[in-house]
Amino acid sequence: MKKILAVLLISAGLTGCGGIGSLVSNDRVTDADNDQVVTIGDSIFALSGKLQDILENYAGETFRRYTISGAEVTGGIYATDIATQFEIAKNDNPNIETILMDAAGNDILIPIITMFDWYNCKTEWYQWWGLSSSCKNLIDDLYVDTVGLLNHIGASGVDNIIFLGYYNPKNALLWLDDVEEAVAYGDMRLAQACANTTANCTFIDPRSSINDSDIILDGIHPTTSGSQKLADLVWPKLQPLL
């Protein structure tokens, strides 16, 4: 029973649909000091908002925010997807110069946590062959969706995209064990999406910077120190664009 309750609590924090996520997930900001910088994405940004807070503190100005916990690239049942977040931001004010974003983490983690690893994205001890073909196929499909989204963002007149990849979750929780290969393959494909889009896109891989102490008890989201490290990776890419 305790394990089931823990999974439900983590799922709520991950998806933002009630419970933890809706209580602490960041509010949308549609008018800021600098409306030309817009953040879209999921709970790595949205759950605490610290990453965005730190970047705004560095810049000395606020940016527009559309990130939502639980967001997937397109579609999904838990939250407004990332493609739609961009459309909302564009409808609010189409003068967007820089998009700061992440995408695809929930598309992989939600099936692991809530669907008993439907795509076999956990590499168990006996899987000597490595990451399953079903998980690779899922991530390859996400690559196609992400390239399409990035192309659309660029075609909409956005000058720059800064794409933050994902770090390994904390292994303290059994249902998050053995996902390092999925994260590695995912970051590789997301980096390729950023390189292969028609938009001007810069990819940031945070895996070497984030360790267990930078992740909160749910095993997924950054602590304040984690948000600080992520901001310090993003800021050198963002600062010249302001």
Side-chain angles (χ1 to χ4, degrees):
M1 178 62 70
K2 288 182 179 179
K3 181 176 180 178
I4 294 173
L5 178 60
V7 172
L8 291 174
L9 288 172
I10 289 171
S11 298
L14 175 68
T15 63
C17 55
I20 297 171
S22 62
L23 288 173
V24 299
S25 190
N26 243 9
D27 292 331
R28 181 183 299 171
V29 176
T30 61
D31 187 20
D33 299 330
N34 186 342
D35 284 340
Q36 287 70 57
V37 178
V38 172
T39 307
I40 58 176
D42 58 35
S43 54
I44 299 301
F45 287 98
L47 195 66
S48 71
K50 289 292 185 181
L51 172 52
Q52 293 154 300
D53 291 342
I54 294 167
L55 289 171
E56 290 176 351
N57 183 59
Y58 285 167
E61 59 183 0
T62 58
F63 310 129
R64 286 197 282 156
R65 305 184 184 193
Y66 293 82
T67 57
I68 301 176
S69 295
E72 298 173 60
V73 179
T74 60
I77 63 174
Y78 296 109
T80 303
D81 63 63
I82 295 165
T84 303
Q85 292 173 27
F86 174 70
E87 294 304 315
I88 294 170
K90 189 171 63 172
N91 289 335
D92 286 342
N93 183 341
N95 185 16
I96 302 172
E97 296 178 0
T98 299
I99 287 285
L100 172 61
M101 66 178 290
D102 66 353
N106 283 318
D107 301 76
I108 299 169
L109 280 180
I110 287 175
I112 290 175
I113 294 175
T114 66
M115 298 171 61
F116 303 100
D117 195 19
W118 180 262
Y119 295 99
N120 193 21
C121 283
K122 296 175 67 174
T123 308
E124 305 287 358
W125 62 268
Y126 55 83
Q127 291 178 233
W128 54 266
W129 58 89
L131 189 63
S132 71
S133 58
S134 59
C135 188
K136 287 182 178 179
N137 289 338
L138 168 66
I139 294 171
D140 290 343
D141 288 342
L142 291 171
Y143 162 84
V144 174
D145 292 341
T146 302
V147 170
L149 173 57
L150 296 177
N151 285 344
H152 175 64
I153 292 173
S156 299
V158 174
D159 294 328
N160 303 285
I161 301 170
I162 300 173
F163 198 121
L164 180 63
Y166 292 95
Y167 48 83
N168 292 315
K170 187 186 295 187
N171 282 334
L173 304 172
L174 293 178
W175 46 91
L176 291 177
D177 277 346
D178 307 315
V179 299
E180 289 83 1
E181 288 196 42
V183 173
Y185 190 77
D187 273 342
M188 182 268 289
R189 293 298 268 158
L190 291 174
Q192 289 176 342
C194 199
N196 293 334
T197 178
T198 56
N200 181 25
C201 183
T202 300
F203 183 78
I204 298 172
D205 184 344
R207 283 177 295 161
S208 63
S209 297
I210 302 298
N211 54 49
D212 283 359
S213 65
D214 299 314
I215 302 171
I216 65 174
L217 289 177
D218 70 5
I220 299 169
H221 300 99
T223 62
T224 298
S225 68
S227 293
Q228 181 71 60
K229 287 182 177 181
L230 294 173
D232 288 343
L233 292 173
V234 171
W235 179 241
K237 311 298 183 183
L238 178 61
Q239 183 182 25
L241 306 178
L242 300 178

